[in-house]
Amino acid sequence: MKNIAIQSLGHYLPRRRLTNLELEKLVDTSDEWITTRTGIKERRIASIGEKTSDMATQAGKEALKRAKLTSDKIDLIIVATTTPDSNFPSMACLVQRALKAQHAAAFDVSAACSGFLYALTTAKQFLLSGMYKNALVIAADKFTNLLDWNDRSTCVLFGDGAGAVVLSGVRSSRGILSDYMFSKGQFADTMSVITEQREPLDQKNKMMKIPYVEMRGQELFKIAVNSMAEAVQIVAHKAKIKMSDISCVVPHQANDRIISAVARKLGVSKDKFFVNIHKYGNMSAAAIAVALYEAVEKGEIKSGDYVALVTFGAGLVAAANIVKW
Ligand code: UT7
């Protein structure tokens, strides 16, 4: 075994679309503001009965099917999420039950929007060590559960979804060539979840104790641009490739202006960045997993390409990988 490679991908998106025009009726905002400031046109919203574990299971099922692997061959399941159905059991254990992956060890990773890459790098280490052979790595978030639907500065930004990959060893030069994870706890207050009495969107006038997200957007914006650009440079250096060798960058989808600024900072054409934020908003950990899925499906990533994956999120945490496809 030489490298650890992504063997297949899966994804799941709730059917319900929430457009900017619908949001105009909820809060003091406009399609024009949301589009020009973020690039978002619509996002998917999971229904009340549609849980994070359900979305994770669907994405995992597709990845397994595409890998032509039965679930009993999976010996590690990691789910990246910060919006679990409940504190415990872990989402990974619920996925394990739903997929009947009875031989797997299963646990969750909490790294906000960077969760997918944190989980990918974690799984890679277990496979490299020889402890496990096939890992199912899933990112799933029902972030709209955390939104205060009266707060226009956050409720227009996020959406729900899930993405998944099957990882295993290969005897070729393809695979995950380099990894980088960093955490800056000193910026923990720039984005956090507050627990208070709030009115959820679909149960107006019913006060419920639910958590909601609070964010210092402008501060995060600057840190995001610097962290993501730095992370790509570090993984490219570790993989011994030049910036010009990278065919496709799949970045976290938080704001199209952040993606443009990262492209400028790296001196890489924005055309090389895969962007789907207009359709889904920021799906937290799932954003980059779904973007990778779509980039491959659309043929923007081909065999032999060098791909950079890069994220940042609350914590603050950032991560990147170079993958030879
Ligand atoms: O996944 C990781 C976490 N999050 C992020 O990465 C977010 C990073 N930050 C951002 O993407 C941007 O900072 C935001 C999209 C959140 C905000 O964009 P901005 O250009 O930084 O706007 P701002 O916060 O400076 O607000 C500008 C104005 C303010 O009005 P005044 O004070 O200039 O009169 C806001 O009150 O826009 C107002 N505003 C809105 N107006 C219409 C804030 N939200 C809205 C809204 N609709 N939804």
Side-chain angles (χ1 to χ4, degrees), residues 27-30 33-34 37-38 40 112-114 143 151-158 190-191 215-222 224 252-258 282-284 312-314 316:
V27 284
D28 180 16
T29 190
S30 65
W33 190 96
I34 303 171
R37 298 285 178 135
T38 71
I40 303 166
C113 302
S114 291
F143 211 85
D151 177 8
R152 68 176 183 174
S153 71
T154 52
C155 77
V156 303
L157 302 176
F158 297 93
T190 51
M191 188 175 176
M215 189 175 82
R216 302 211 291 261
Q218 282 195 356
E219 266 178 73
L220 265 175
F221 192 108
K222 286 180 204 131
H252 175 47
Q253 312 279 317
N255 187 324
D256 192 44
R257 288 188 296 133
I258 293 180
N282 180 349
M283 293 186 287
S284 192
F312 79 97
L316 287 172

